[in-house]
Amino acid sequence: MRSTSSEGRYLAPGVDQSVKIVVLGPFAVGKTTLVGAVSEITPASTEERMTKAGEAVDTLRGLSDKTTTTVALDFGRLTLTDDIVLYLFGGPGQPRFSFMVDELMQGALGGVVLVDTARVTESWDAMGRMEEAGLPYVVAVNTFASSPRYGEAELRQALDLHPSTPLVECDVRRRESAKKPLIALVSHLLSRPSLEPAS
C-alpha cells in the first residue's frame, strides 16, 4: 500500500525506510522556516500571532520583528533519496512548551539543533535534550545577516561539541541550503552501528 499526502503526492515506489527527525532550538531561530523550506508537502504548522499575554514569559530581546510563534509543532516530509523519506517535526522553542518537545522526541532517530551565533547559549538546552535522550544530532548554524560570524573551531568550542558531532552552516530560507543539515544528519546516522529509535 502506497503512502500519500493530502495533496495526492505519493511516496516513490522505492522508498523503504522512513526516518523521524526532530528540529529543535531556541525561540525564533528558524525551525518553522526550515521545515517549510524543505517539505515536499504543504507543511503542517501551529504558528500563532504573539499576544501581550506572552510578553511576560517569552523573551523578545533583539527579536522585535518576531510576530508569530509555534505553539505545538511543525510537520513536513522530504524524500531525501530513492529509498529514504524524512518526517520532520519542529518543536516549539520556549521553555514553557518543553513537555511537548519531550513528546515529539519519542521514536525519533536523530535531530537537528539550530543555532543563531548572536545567541549561542540559548541552543544549549536543545543540545542537552538530544544528549539526554541518546539521539544523534547535527548542529546547524542559521546564517542570520545580523549575527556575528565565527570559524568552525570557535563555534565547536563555544558549543562544547563532541568531535564526532557534525556542524554545518545553512540559510533556512533557501531550500537547497536548508537541506544541508538533514543530509549531514542522515550521513551521520548511517555511519553509526545501528539505526534504532530512542526509547
Side-chain angles (χ1 to χ4, degrees):
M1 182 172 176
R2 293 186 298 173
S3 174
T4 182
S5 75
S6 59
E7 299 172 337
R9 286 200 57 180
Y10 289 97
L11 291 177
V15 171
D16 61 9
Q17 187 170 28
S18 62
V19 181
K20 179 181 179 182
I21 301 298
V22 289
V23 181
L24 303 182
F27 179 56
V29 77
K31 300 178 296 294
T32 298
T33 303
L34 183 148
V35 173
V38 302
S39 182
E40 64 197 15
I41 60 174
T42 301
S45 178
T46 56
E47 283 277 291
E48 296 291 341
R49 290 197 66 77
M50 296 174 63
T51 65
K52 287 286 184 183
E55 291 180 3
V57 289
D58 295 329
T59 302
L60 297 177
R61 185 180 66 255
L63 303 170
S64 58
D65 294 337
K66 182 71 171 168
T67 60
T68 62
T69 185
T70 299
V71 296
L73 61 91
D74 301 303
F75 172 77
R77 187 186 80 191
L78 174 63
T79 303
L80 194 62
T81 66
D82 289 342
D83 59 349
I84 299 176
V85 64
L86 307 183
Y87 291 103
L88 309 173
F89 292 80
Q94 300 96 314
R96 60 191 166 113
F97 295 127
S98 61
F99 68 96
M100 300 181 83
V101 173
D102 292 337
E103 293 295 324
L104 287 178
M105 294 176 76
Q106 295 298 316
L109 292 181
V112 173
V113 174
L114 280 175
V115 173
D116 176 358
T117 58
R119 304 179 286 138
V120 169
T121 59
E122 293 182 20
S123 292
W124 288 350
D125 179 69
M127 293 169 59
R129 283 174 174 273
M130 294 285 193
E131 291 168 6
E132 288 171 14
L135 286 180
Y137 66 96
V138 303
V139 172
V141 176
N142 189 9
T143 53
F144 289 95
S146 59
S147 296
R149 303 297 293 270
Y150 300 104
E152 181 174 345
E154 290 177 288
L155 284 169
R156 285 190 168 277
Q157 182 175 14
L159 293 163
D160 193 25
L161 281 187
H162 189 276
S164 67
T165 302
L167 174 67
V168 299
E169 284 193 355
C170 65
D171 181 342
V172 298
R173 299 168 300 177
R174 296 173 44 239
R175 178 177 171 82
E176 290 307 311
S177 186
K179 288 166 72 173
K180 286 168 56 179
L182 301 173
I183 293 168
L185 176 61
V186 170
S187 296
H188 185 48
L189 290 172
L190 292 175
S191 71
R192 295 168 65 87
S194 63
L195 199 62
E196 297 295 332
S199 57

